[in-house]
Amino acid sequence: MGEKEGAEPKAPRSLRINSLFSEDELSEEQEEAALGSPSPILPPAPTGPSPIAMDGSSLAAPAPLREGWLDKNPPQGSYIYQRRWVKLDAEHLRYFDSEKDAYSKRFIPVSSISRITSVGDQKFEVITHNRNFVFRAESDADRNEWIRSLQQAVEEQRRTSMSPSSRGAPTELPDRSGFLELRGFKHKLFVVVAGDRVLLYKNAEDYRLGIGITYIEMNVGNVKELDRRGFDLTTPYRTFSFAADSEQDKEEWMEAMEQSIAEALSNSEVAERIWALEPNRSCADCGSPNPDWASINLCVVICKRCAGEHRGLGPSISKVRSLKMDRKVWTEELIQLFHHIGNAVANQFWAANVPPSESISPSSGSQDRRRFLRAKYREGKYRRYHPLFGNQEELDRALCAAVTTADLAETQALLFCGAAASCPSGDPQCPTPMALAQRSGQRLQMEFLLHNRGSEPPRLGGGGSEERLYSVPLPSVTHHGFLYKTPSMAKPIGERKGPEEFSRRWCTLQDGLLSYYESERSAAPNGELRAQEMVCLVHNAPHTHGIENTFEVYMESERLYLFGLENPDSAREWLKSIAKSFVHPCAEELLALDFERIGRLHYKGGLNLEHTKEGWFALVGSMLHVCFQDSERQEPLQLRKLQELSIQGDNEVLVLVERRRTLYIQGERKLDFLGWVQAIQKAAGSSGDTLSEQQLTESDVPLLVDRCIDYITQCGLTSEGIYRKSGQNSKTTSLLEMLRRDARSVRLKEGEHHVDDVANTLKRFFRDLGDGLFTRRWGQDWMRATALEDEELKITEYRRLLGMLPTVNRATLKALINHLFRVQRFSGENQMNTHNLAIVFGPTLFQMDGKDYKAGRVVEDLISHYVKIFNVNDQEMKKQQDEITAIMKMREAASSGTQQAGDFICTVYLEEKKTEAEQHVKIPATMTAEELTFEILDRRKVVMKEKDYWSCYEVNEREEAERPLHYSEKVLPILHCLGTESYLVVKKQMAMENMLIYLASRGGDCKHGLMKFREDRNLLGLGLSTGFHDRYFILSHHCLRLYRDVRSHKPEKEWPVQNLRVYLGIKKKLRPPTCWGFTVFYENEKHEKQQWYLCCDTQADLREWFATFLHVQHGGALWPSEGSKVRTSRWQQDSRLGNISLIPLRGNESEMRNSVAALATDPLTLLHNV
């Protein structure tokens, strides 16, 4: 028996000492301090923290078996009892200062209790394997109840525990453990970060025994840096101020606690589903229990330590995601894939021949893990070879056969023995394995192929692309000196760092290591950064932070280091030295640039989009210089001339489109990729008020000018007083601001933007232009040229001055005068002849007050002699003349009544969204969905058979949902509301006949029943509300009511039916419980919007609910009567304009981009048949 904590005292009943720690943890000095200066009383917590397993796994808080006040035996040398609130549950015996305290003074695992005995009046003793605890109850009866409860808990623990002799010892290594100082106490405490909790122990021996002081639930924690060694862990109930041994040690502790917070806030739903299979409850590589990471292409579940080494293999070998934090990636298909493959099937292939001497265990170190995982997955050393290994043609043929079956293990073996995921199948209808799997309805095969499109098969004795990148040794660079440094960060720098946040450190760069020391005399470094692990180097603008010149270093480990110097020349030397130490020799051209950001990124481009490659990128102003893997020289991309700049997926792919070339930059590391995205977006925007600083077209015309000119050409050439009338000032200001911010994303649409507002925007842009269109240097020369009387001499001088202008100014002037030349050709309608245009634009372009007539004369001369001054050839003139003729014909058609005012041109698809299935239709204000459907069918000569229910659908690609338009709905208002992710398609409504039969046979007009409900709302900034829940619904003539269950009398929610838009389908990332669901949008009179989702148990339920919705919303008229199908009176479109698309109003970004590019190249391409 271990020694008792004190002899039986003869003392007053009890005395409270309010301290975080139990008295038996304090030295004499500490005890005196605690007695003399008690800690402030902790604020009450709603409930105490739940017990923790010593392996760090998350446990739900067990209900207390017994709780109440007890007197605890005092420490040695004291005769004063301490009154304690004691709680017993199935796992722990804990005592607190009061019943409201959040943090215990001691927790004792029930598994460590050997026996409980009575030791005199009202007292009992809890005996553990090395320590005893004496408590005193209020009465003998109370004491006996405590003894009985404790004995029952111990017996139950022994019955259920698989290892009763473990005595609470940890079953796996914690995320981090070690000694830390805690403010207010002399001796260090042993601190453990395990899972989503931080535990405090007196020493390492207590941790081994499982007897601790208290633990902190990290879902309420926040970590804040204090100074070089100190940091705070704050909770709503108390602040714990820790101090580490060194700055680097502090950074590692903070990182571990921040990861613990992230894990505490994560969602365990996916993990629980994947752990449902026994083999998935242990790491596929080392066997650690409860692994919460996975490789989604290898389909293995792995622990946190192995996940770090998997990342080092690269995304072409293993794509690592968290089961708890990366919720968006876990589709229903991916979860099912882990049920069918998972650790069991995967290891039958990958670990078929592992020698016991080479396997790893939960306690293996990082080096052993790295060696084993490289051999297992990169080299395929232990895999089970497929019989066709080595025969590429046969492997590919076998893969095409396997994907049409449910045999995922065969597909896995073929792929990772060399079969190509995108090999040709020989079937023209299904040219790839993915298409074959889709035709065969093999969803899981499709999911497996999707995640392995870019996977590399193992290579014995070889490395992947990342290793080959460093096959040439990096140059050895040496540099040293003092640098100012902040602690490393795991997040982007969101605010300015003051001088006080930097520490002066002696830094050396040698043999591929950037080391920083406390001083130049220090023998050991505070920390080291390996050049081969650097991925990005950023040169910040001066005065970005409190130190004048700063730069950032990003590491593969998702850490960011900020350094600074006061001297700009010294900062530049450090930048060049660090860049030279980690940039591969194949990209040494980039080192000569005055870069703002340089680093390596994964990309896809060219003709091969299957596999990602690694390239080197350098950002200089608005130029992005790229050294592609297969290119001998770096290639520059002018970001301001991009046709498209967008982000796809969950901020994982940056798409750059330039000169019909598309480059996909992928974010394998979130931290540096986010910085690249923000920097490229900023560089691709307008950066000032001069012409050369604007976003540009391929012909060097500012995109803002091009957008305005195109819109007025198509919508305002015949508008009376164009450019003379002023638009609304507020709308002009707003439009100009949007175009200046990002003209690439602005689409000018008739009905939304008035031509006078757009014209005024263009004039204001030129008036406010920095340095003007003609430039301050040459402006006076242009005006002096108007004094020349000889017209030929004047034209020659204008041409000379035109050649003197900068390239962008020259291109812009030509585009503007070309536009004004066309405007004056319509002067009979718009009343704006050459002279009137000159009066308006002279003062505007020369930025004068209008008193000097010479400015107007210059503009008038340029318009009058446009052909000669700008060397316009006959072909260009013919193109312009044809365009003017076409516009005149369209105007004549409009004035004669054959074209209705306010018509829109819209792209509509037949049956599916394909280029060959698109039709460009003019949509008048009166056109209904039924008329549009007939129009499309007539054009494609589709004959409607009996019981063919053709309808027009609105498809929302982002929501993965569609809505059949009611036959009487007007199409034009729907077009106004469509986003770029939506389109219209005409196809058969397959369920209509069954819906009509159901409505004809049912007894009433209402419907009620259970559906699964999920609301699209934000909870504490954590995204969608979690999961679908059963709710009872009643749909009547006027409203839809939601009840908690069938017995509820009062509805929780109620919506007017006429304010609902019901779409068929639910996006997959929400993981709907069934495939029969609705997406519902609600908007009230105040334009407040809601969105929610409903799931039915069967397809018949879905059909009946949807039919009832339509029946109620449209007064029972679900489908037109036979008489209304007579189409003689419907609106007839001018056949001459039947296939013309003047302005592609709707469609995805690619389609809009292609149409605009075609129109810019040849504005008459779409009008040749007029």
Side-chain angles (χ1 to χ4, degrees):
M1 183 183 294
E3 73 174 305
K4 296 187 180 183
E5 292 188 342
E8 181 181 338
K10 296 177 180 178
R13 186 70 181 156
S14 64
L15 178 69
R16 293 282 306 279
I17 299 177
N18 187 20
S19 169
L20 174 66
F21 306 109
S22 181
E23 304 74 37
D24 51 337
E25 276 92 36
L26 302 176
S27 66
E28 291 182 7
E29 292 178 334
Q30 290 171 314
E31 184 180 347
E32 291 171 5
L35 289 167
S37 305
S39 303
I41 296 175
L42 301 177
T47 58
S50 61
I52 186 165
M54 289 306 299
D55 62 357
S57 59
S58 299
L59 299 174
L65 302 175
R66 186 172 183 82
E67 58 184 340
W69 288 104
L70 291 174
D71 295 333
K72 183 189 172 296
N73 202 46
Q76 293 181 3
S78 174
Y79 294 95
I80 302 174
Y81 271 82
Q82 285 81 39
R83 192 158 175 77
R84 297 287 176 251
W85 180 258
V86 183
K87 284 186 180 181
L88 171 67
D89 56 47
E91 299 292 337
H92 294 84
L93 176 68
R94 297 174 292 158
Y95 53 86
F96 304 79
D97 268 332
S98 78
E99 71 272 26
K100 295 182 178 180
D101 282 354
Y103 301 114
S104 65
K105 303 176 73 62
R106 172 72 82 183
F107 63 84
I108 306 159
V110 172
S111 59
S112 71
I113 299 174
S114 58
R115 59 195 176 94
I116 306 98
T117 60
S118 174
V119 287
D121 294 341
Q122 303 168 5
K123 293 192 294 294
F124 63 92
E125 188 172 28
V126 177
I127 303 170
T128 69
H129 299 288
N130 77 328
R131 192 174 302 170
N132 302 344
F133 301 85
V134 176
F135 295 93
R136 184 170 66 187
E138 295 286 344
S139 65
D140 288 340
D142 191 29
R143 175 201 60 192
N144 294 338
E145 286 296 323
W146 273 103
I147 292 174
R148 183 161 45 253
S149 297
L150 280 162
Q151 288 173 339
Q152 289 175 351
V154 170
E155 287 301 319
E156 182 65 25
Q157 177 69 226
R158 287 172 180 169
R159 277 199 305 272
T160 58
S161 174
M162 294 180 61
S163 178
S165 62
S166 63
R167 301 184 296 181
T171 59
E172 71 170 354
L173 292 174
D175 299 323
R176 185 169 180 82
S177 63
F179 286 95
L180 285 175
E181 299 173 17
L182 185 61
R183 184 175 297 171
F185 294 90
K186 222 174 187 182
H187 298 290
K188 293 181 179 179
L189 297 176
F190 192 78
V191 181
V192 175
V193 180
D196 55 2
R197 295 178 175 89
V198 171
L199 302 94
L200 307 182
Y201 298 87
K202 179 183 175 183
N203 50 45
E205 176 64 17
D206 277 5
Y207 166 60
R208 189 184 67 80
L209 297 169
I211 300 176
I213 299 167
T214 193
Y215 51 83
I216 302 125
E217 297 279 4
M218 295 300 277
N219 62 334
V220 295
N222 186 37
V223 183
K224 181 181 179 183
E225 184 180 11
L226 289 180
D227 50 40
R228 193 174 66 82
R229 294 193 306 118
F231 63 96
D232 278 352
L233 172 57
T234 61
T235 73
Y237 319 119
R238 189 185 182 99
T239 297
F240 300 86
S241 297
F242 294 106
D245 291 336
S246 66
E247 183 178 1
Q248 184 174 3
D249 199 31
K250 176 202 69 178
E251 292 171 1
E252 292 171 357
W253 274 106
M254 288 180 64
E255 181 180 2
M257 290 188 183
E258 285 168 351
Q259 290 177 352
S260 179
I261 291 171
E263 185 169 339
L265 296 175
S266 62
N267 190 332
S268 299
E269 179 185 349
V270 171
E272 295 294 343
R273 292 185 64 188
I274 287 181
W275 289 343
L277 271 71
E278 181 66 32
N280 291 346
R281 295 179 195 167
S282 302
C283 175
D285 298 323
C286 72
S288 294
N290 299 329
D292 52 6
W293 292 82
S295 171
I296 60 173
N297 63 313
L298 301 174
C299 294
V300 292
V301 190
I302 51 180
C303 68
K304 190 174 184 178
R305 299 185 75 197
C306 287
E309 301 303 333
H310 270 260
R311 282 201 187 94
L313 298 173
S316 61
I317 304 295
S318 181
K319 298 175 182 176
V320 181
R321 297 292 186 272
S322 170
L323 297 183
K324 295 181 177 179
M325 291 177 279
D326 294 323
R327 283 175 281 180
K328 292 181 179 178
V329 76
W330 291 101
T331 62
E332 182 63 29
E333 286 80 5
L334 185 56
I335 294 173
Q336 290 300 320
L337 197 59
F338 272 74
H339 282 181
H340 285 77
I341 299 180
N343 291 356
V345 176
N347 272 341
Q348 286 173 11
F349 172 76
W350 289 107
N353 304 293
V354 180
S357 60
E358 295 185 23
S359 62
I360 58 174
S361 66
S363 59
S364 296
S366 297
Q367 224 169 8
D368 290 336
R369 288 176 195 268
R370 189 175 303 120
R371 171 195 53 75
F372 175 75
L373 295 179
R374 282 178 180 272
K376 183 177 181 181
Y377 298 112
R378 186 185 287 282
E379 300 172 12
K381 183 177 178 181
Y382 315 120
R383 63 183 157 168
R384 175 176 55 82
Y385 285 92
H386 194 278
L388 299 176
F389 179 75
N391 189 331
Q392 187 66 49
E393 186 177 342
E394 291 298 325
L395 282 170
D396 292 347
R397 186 179 296 115
L399 177 65
C400 291
V403 297
T404 63
T405 71
D407 193 348
L408 290 162
E410 175 72 1
T411 302
Q412 174 190 243
L414 288 164
L415 271 180
F416 293 113
C417 281
S422 58
C423 64
S425 68
D427 185 343
Q429 299 297 322
C430 300
T432 64
M434 177 70 81
L436 289 170
Q438 184 176 13
R439 185 175 66 183
S440 303
Q442 297 295 335
R443 294 183 300 108
L444 298 187
Q445 293 279 12
M446 292 170 62
E447 188 76 10
F448 189 68
L449 290 170
L450 175 69
H451 291 294
N452 282 288
R453 285 183 302 180
S455 297
E456 293 182 6
R459 292 185 177 88
L460 278 172
S465 60
E466 291 185 15
E467 281 194 342
R468 291 197 299 273
L469 198 62
Y470 286 109
S471 58
V472 179
L474 295 175
S476 179
V477 182
T478 303
H479 201 74
H480 58 82
F482 279 103
L483 287 173
Y484 291 94
K485 177 188 175 295
T486 65
S488 69
M489 290 156 272
K491 299 177 181 178
I493 303 174
E495 54 188 19
R496 188 175 188 269
K497 297 287 185 183
E500 70 280 357
E501 298 182 70
F502 288 82
S503 303
R504 193 167 182 256
R505 295 287 178 264
W506 176 257
C507 299
T508 63
L509 178 62
Q510 189 171 7
D511 298 328
L513 279 179
L514 174 60
S515 309
Y516 48 94
Y517 300 77
E518 195 76 23
S519 70
E520 68 271 36
R521 294 184 297 275
S522 300
N526 288 4
E528 295 177 334
L529 307 180
R530 293 184 176 278
Q532 285 196 343
E533 295 176 4
M534 296 178 185
V535 295
C536 184
L537 179 63
V538 178
H539 185 195
N540 292 320
H543 306 291
T544 301
H545 299 288
I547 302 297
E548 183 175 353
N549 304 282
T550 56
F551 59 90
E552 302 165 14
V553 180
Y554 292 78
M555 307 298 292
E556 278 185 342
S557 59
E558 299 273 11
R559 301 297 294 181
L560 160 61
Y561 293 80
L562 178 64
F563 296 90
L565 292 99
E566 295 294 352
N567 187 298
D569 295 332
S570 299
R572 197 171 294 110
E573 289 177 14
W574 270 106
L575 277 165
K576 293 294 183 182
S577 298
I578 294 174
K580 190 175 181 181
S581 72
F582 86 94
V583 173
H584 192 268
C586 70
E588 62 182 355
E589 277 185 276
L590 302 180
L591 299 176
L593 303 172
D594 189 16
F595 57 83
E596 301 161 24
R597 180 180 289 265
I598 190 170
R600 51 187 165 100
L601 292 165
H602 287 83
Y603 72 92
K604 290 182 182 179
L607 298 176
N608 183 8
L609 296 179
E610 291 296 321
H611 300 284
T612 59
K613 300 178 181 178
E614 193 164 74
W616 290 89
F617 294 73
L619 183 63
V620 183
S622 64
M623 299 295 294
L624 183 65
H625 299 263
V626 188
C627 283
F628 295 110
Q629 198 174 91
D630 303 325
S631 179
E632 295 182 359
R633 298 187 59 82
Q634 61 97 355
E635 299 182 35
L637 280 76
Q638 174 51 264
L639 297 176
R640 291 207 187 108
K641 287 188 177 182
L642 292 178
Q643 296 177 10
E644 179 185 336
L645 176 62
S646 61
I647 299 178
Q648 293 181 354
D650 298 319
N651 295 326
E652 293 178 348
V653 181
L654 183 65
V655 183
L656 286 72
V657 181
E658 182 217 31
R659 297 181 190 167
R660 300 178 180 86
R661 175 179 65 175
T662 303
L663 180 66
Y664 301 88
I665 301 177
Q666 294 191 325
E668 300 296 336
R669 299 165 300 271
K670 293 182 180 179
L671 187 60
D672 68 298
F673 181 67
L674 179 61
W676 275 107
V677 170
Q678 292 172 345
I680 289 174
Q681 287 176 331
K682 182 179 178 181
S686 299
S687 60
D689 59 357
T690 64
L691 281 175
S692 61
E693 294 174 309
Q694 308 302 309
Q695 292 174 321
L696 302 173
T697 66
E698 190 58 38
S699 56
D700 288 316
V701 177
L703 201 55
L704 183 154
V705 174
D706 187 69
R707 288 273 195 268
C708 293
I709 286 176
D710 275 356
Y711 182 78
I712 293 171
T713 298
Q714 296 195 47
C715 304
L717 284 183
T718 58
S719 176
E720 185 175 346
I722 185 70
Y723 289 119
R724 179 168 50 82
K725 290 181 180 179
S726 295
Q728 292 186 27
N729 188 56
S730 60
K731 291 185 177 180
T732 299
T733 302
S734 174
L735 181 57
L736 182 59
E737 185 179 335
M738 285 194 300
L739 287 165
R740 276 182 170 158
R741 189 186 309 119
D742 186 11
R744 193 181 292 111
S745 63
V746 177
R747 304 291 176 190
L748 300 175
K749 300 174 184 177
E750 191 173 7
E752 292 184 20
H753 303 96
H754 195 278
V755 288
D756 291 331
D757 295 331
V758 178
N760 208 34
T761 298
L762 183 63
K763 288 190 298 180
R764 188 180 294 183
F765 170 75
F766 281 117
R767 179 172 285 279
D768 298 342
L769 199 60
D771 199 33
L773 178 60
F774 292 99
T775 73
R776 294 188 183 92
R777 178 179 179 183
W778 300 105
Q780 292 301 317
D781 290 14
W782 281 89
M783 287 194 288
R784 278 195 290 270
T786 61
L788 296 173
E789 296 182 0
D790 189 306
E791 289 296 315
E792 289 301 322
L793 285 177
K794 187 191 294 186
I795 291 171
T796 302
E797 179 64 8
Y798 282 145
R799 291 175 66 177
R800 184 186 71 83
L801 292 171
L802 184 66
M804 295 294 182
L805 291 177
T807 302
V808 177
N809 295 57
R810 185 165 60 249
T812 305
L813 181 59
K814 180 178 181 180
L816 177 63
I817 299 302
N818 173 29
H819 171 62
L820 298 180
F821 178 75
R822 283 180 284 177
V823 171
Q824 60 86 29
R825 296 294 298 269
F826 290 86
S827 59
E829 288 84 3
N830 61 36
Q831 306 301 313
M832 295 300 290
N833 56 27
T834 302
H835 181 70
N836 290 341
L837 289 171
I839 291 173
V840 172
F841 274 94
T844 297
L845 299 183
F846 283 94
Q847 301 175 334
M848 302 173 68
D849 55 9
K851 294 180 181 179
D852 194 336
Y853 71 93
K854 296 176 185 175
R857 284 289 304 277
V858 172
V859 176
E860 190 169 356
D861 288 342
L862 290 175
I863 298 173
S864 300
H865 302 292
Y866 163 68
V867 175
K868 290 185 177 180
I869 294 173
F870 293 96
N871 287 327
V872 181
N873 57 37
D874 292 342
Q875 186 177 358
E876 286 182 84
M877 279 303 296
K878 184 178 185 306
K879 183 187 294 186
Q880 292 186 28
Q881 186 60 46
D882 289 344
E883 180 180 355
I884 293 169
T885 303
I887 294 172
M888 290 296 290
K889 284 187 176 182
M890 291 179 65
R891 177 165 176 75
E892 289 171 6
S895 62
S896 65
T898 57
Q899 180 178 355
Q900 298 185 12
D903 294 359
F904 279 79
I905 308 298
C906 173
T907 300
V908 183
Y909 298 91
L910 180 62
E911 295 195 291
E912 58 183 329
K913 188 180 180 182
K914 288 185 176 179
T915 304
E916 58 270 22
E918 66 181 25
Q919 290 290 309
H920 304 296
V921 185
K922 190 163 53 178
I923 308 294
T926 58
M927 180 178 259
T928 64
E930 182 186 22
E931 290 172 338
L932 176 59
T933 301
F934 287 148
E935 176 66 33
I936 297 298
L937 295 179
D938 284 351
R939 286 191 182 190
R940 299 306 291 264
K941 296 181 172 55
V942 176
V943 179
M944 284 187 66
K945 300 177 183 177
E946 187 179 358
K947 294 188 177 181
D948 274 358
Y949 296 93
W950 289 90
S951 298
C952 182
Y953 281 75
E954 173 196 343
V955 180
N956 188 323
E957 291 182 308
R958 181 170 61 85
E959 294 294 335
E960 300 174 31
E962 61 183 15
R963 178 177 74 95
L965 304 185
H966 189 260
Y967 67 88
S968 64
E969 276 190 79
K970 296 290 190 294
V971 180
L972 195 58
I974 296 168
L975 286 178
H976 283 304
C977 300
L978 288 185
T980 55
E981 72 281 355
S982 300
Y983 61 91
L984 298 181
V985 61
V986 171
K987 60 181 180 178
K988 290 180 184 178
Q989 196 171 165
M990 308 304 291
M992 179 54 71
E993 183 174 3
N994 287 328
M995 288 196 293
L996 292 172
I997 293 172
Y998 163 73
L999 291 173
S1001 61
R1002 67 177 187 157
D1005 292 337
C1006 299
K1007 182 167 178 61
H1008 56 86
L1010 284 171
M1011 286 191 285
K1012 300 185 187 301
F1013 172 78
R1014 175 170 179 161
E1015 190 172 6
D1016 187 359
R1017 57 185 176 141
N1018 195 286
L1019 297 175
L1020 302 176
L1022 298 179
L1024 291 169
S1025 59
T1026 55
F1028 286 78
H1029 306 281
D1030 285 328
R1031 292 293 183 266
Y1032 190 75
F1033 289 86
I1034 296 179
L1035 175 61
S1036 65
H1037 283 294
H1038 305 292
C1039 62
L1040 175 67
R1041 295 187 178 94
L1042 176 150
Y1043 297 82
R1044 185 167 188 83
D1045 53 49
V1046 70
R1047 297 181 298 275
S1048 301
H1049 297 290
K1050 185 178 179 181
E1052 289 186 348
K1053 296 179 184 292
E1054 185 173 328
W1055 302 277
V1057 175
Q1058 297 303 325
N1059 292 38
L1060 301 179
R1061 280 185 298 123
V1062 184
Y1063 291 74
L1064 295 166
I1066 299 177
K1067 51 189 173 186
K1068 292 179 182 177
K1069 75 173 186 179
L1070 297 181
R1071 301 190 296 275
T1074 73
C1075 57
W1076 301 291
F1078 304 107
T1079 298
V1080 185
F1081 295 88
Y1082 167 71
E1083 183 174 357
N1084 61 18
E1085 291 74 14
K1086 298 179 181 178
H1087 301 291
E1088 297 170 337
K1089 298 180 180 180
Q1090 295 179 15
Q1091 180 177 340
W1092 30 275
Y1093 309 93
L1094 301 173
C1095 266
C1096 302
D1097 290 332
T1098 66
Q1099 187 177 12
D1101 284 345
L1102 175 79
R1103 198 162 48 228
E1104 292 172 7
W1105 276 105
F1106 191 63
T1108 309
F1109 270 116
L1110 296 178
H1111 178 83
V1112 171
Q1113 287 184 323
H1114 300 288
L1118 218 64
W1119 191 253
S1121 62
E1122 289 301 317
S1124 69
K1125 291 188 180 181
V1126 179
R1127 291 176 271 167
T1128 55
S1129 62
R1130 71 182 181 88
W1131 170 82
Q1132 294 292 335
Q1133 189 175 14
D1134 187 347
S1135 61
R1136 295 176 301 164
L1137 301 178
N1139 294 316
I1140 295 174
S1141 176
L1142 292 183
I1143 308 174
L1145 295 175
R1146 294 291 178 259
N1148 61 34
E1149 291 292 327
S1150 176
E1151 293 165 336
M1152 297 177 73
R1153 181 178 69 250
N1154 293 339
S1155 299
V1156 172
L1159 188 61
T1161 305
D1162 184 358
L1164 289 175
T1165 300
L1166 306 174
L1167 300 173
H1168 286 324
N1169 295 327
V1170 177

